[in-house]
Amino acid sequence: MANRRVEMMEETRAKLVAAARKAFAEKGYAAASMDELTADVGLTRGALYHNFGDKRGLMAAVVNQIDAEMASRAQEIGARAEDDWEGLLAEGTAYIEMALDPEVQRVVLLDGPAVLGDPSQWPSQNSCLQATKQTVERLIALGILKPVDAEAAARLLNGAALNAALWIAASEDPKDVFPKAVEAFRYLATGLLAKLA
């Protein structure tokens, strides 16, 4: 009985997040109606408030889901690189490139900071930071990167990728900005190398 109740709660949460994700991507956070959103999935506003507290809580869940997917995609791309250094660059570049995705632009990079505040404080960003820090620590141990503070380097690399993505999302011509942002990101990261190639 308790298991079924937990399953139903998870199902309700998943329905609400999926409906909100669609509404926020299509209409934006401000224009998304909570009455329409809940009615679309056969639920009440009470279910939304019970599960997320309010519209902002639902936005946090949606942003967390999309941001986690972005991190996972970037890590998969990084893992296919020939070594940890190229993987680190590939991960950052992939994250920046995701700013070209309309859903990512609107929900995570434009509305997300406006509603939820500083993205570097989001829980999903913290897991990205920890993964980057581990990679930086390995690269320092191998002598590939200068012996800098690993957390500082990871924070600056992640911050550079995040700010590049924010710049792309807010620009008039994201496709024009993207190559400039990636080139600058790669040059910044290269400054950490122990020996310039």
Side-chain angles (χ1 to χ4, degrees):
M1 194 73 162
N3 282 351
R4 180 65 191 131
R5 185 181 152 98
V6 169
E7 278 178 32
M8 286 178 65
M9 283 176 61
E10 287 174 5
E11 195 175 298
T12 297
R13 284 181 67 85
K15 279 183 185 176
L16 286 167
V17 168
R21 185 171 174 164
K22 184 175 187 280
F24 294 155
E26 290 174 2
K27 300 174 183 172
Y29 176 82
S33 158
M34 293 300 95
D35 288 329
E36 283 177 25
L37 187 148
T38 52
D40 284 351
V41 289
L43 296 168
T44 63
R45 277 185 92 133
L48 183 148
Y49 294 125
H50 176 75
N51 282 281
F52 299 100
D54 57 13
K55 185 178 181 182
R56 187 179 183 280
L58 184 55
M59 178 66 162
V62 170
V63 166
N64 193 49
Q65 183 182 72
I66 297 171
D67 206 29
E69 289 170 8
M70 291 170 68
S72 178
R73 253 187 294 166
Q75 287 167 4
E76 284 171 24
I77 290 166
R80 290 191 294 241
E82 60 191 55
D83 57 39
D84 279 349
W85 168 246
E86 288 300 325
L88 186 70
L89 293 177
E91 244 180 79
T93 301
Y95 189 88
I96 295 167
E97 186 172 15
M98 287 178 230
L100 296 172
D101 179 309
E103 179 188 49
V104 169
Q105 273 182 21
R106 179 168 230 168
V107 178
V108 177
L109 300 170
L110 297 175
D111 288 350
V115 175
L116 304 173
D118 180 5
S120 71
Q121 302 302 309
W122 297 348
S124 53
Q125 287 290 320
N126 194 46
S127 62
C128 271
L129 175 64
Q130 294 312 311
T132 303
K133 183 180 172 202
Q134 290 171 355
T135 302
V136 168
E137 286 169 344
R138 274 195 313 274
L139 290 168
I140 290 169
L142 293 168
I144 294 168
L145 294 185
K146 294 173 181 156
V148 297
D149 182 86
E151 183 175 352
R155 284 185 179 278
L156 292 174
L157 287 167
N158 281 20
L162 174 62
N163 276 290
L166 290 166
W167 178 36
I168 290 166
S171 74
E172 293 289 318
D173 188 352
K175 285 188 168 90
D176 179 56
V177 171
F178 169 67
K180 297 172 191 173
V182 168
E183 181 182 41
F185 171 78
R186 293 180 71 90
Y187 280 133
L188 281 171
T190 302
L192 293 169
L193 285 172
K195 296 180 190 86
L196 296 176

